[in-house]
Amino acid sequence: MTKEDRMLQLVLNDVDLSSYYEYTPDDFRTIQEAFNAENPVVQVAAKIVRLIENDDKSKQKEVYTEVFNELKKNLL
């Protein structure tokens, strides 16, 4: 299990988050599984974890825009 996988598990195991957005944390053991999830909240969590691990500022802006658009499209 990578550092990203462990960080993702910390986020996805939040009881309030998982119950509100109706996902099972154990279904997403790796960041790659989360990227492939049908649940947009799980996908966004994976993107944010990946962003935190990336020091490239241009990549951070790209991921921020992608995350914002994904949330806007799927949750608003």
Side-chain angles (χ1 to χ4, degrees):
M1 184 175 275
T2 68
K3 182 179 175 183
E4 284 182 332
D5 295 338
R6 289 189 299 271
M7 189 181 301
L8 178 68
Q9 285 303 305
L10 288 172
V11 174
L12 295 182
N13 280 313
D14 181 273
V15 174
D16 294 331
L17 190 68
S18 62
S19 66
Y20 187 79
Y21 291 107
E22 300 178 347
Y23 66 84
T24 305
D26 289 338
D27 290 345
F28 311 101
R29 303 304 300 168
T30 68
I31 199 159
Q32 193 58 48
E33 290 173 348
F35 278 129
N36 295 329
E38 291 182 19
N39 186 316
V41 171
V42 174
Q43 290 178 351
V44 167
K47 290 175 184 180
I48 292 170
V49 167
R50 176 71 43 92
L51 174 64
I52 290 168
E53 293 296 307
N54 190 331
D55 290 334
D56 182 355
K57 296 294 182 196
S58 64
K59 185 67 174 171
Q60 289 179 354
K61 181 174 172 64
E62 177 186 326
V63 173
Y64 168 83
T65 302
E66 185 178 341
V67 166
F68 178 80
N69 290 336
E70 189 75 25
L71 287 171
K72 186 175 171 185
K73 179 177 77 176
N74 288 297
L75 299 177
L76 301 179

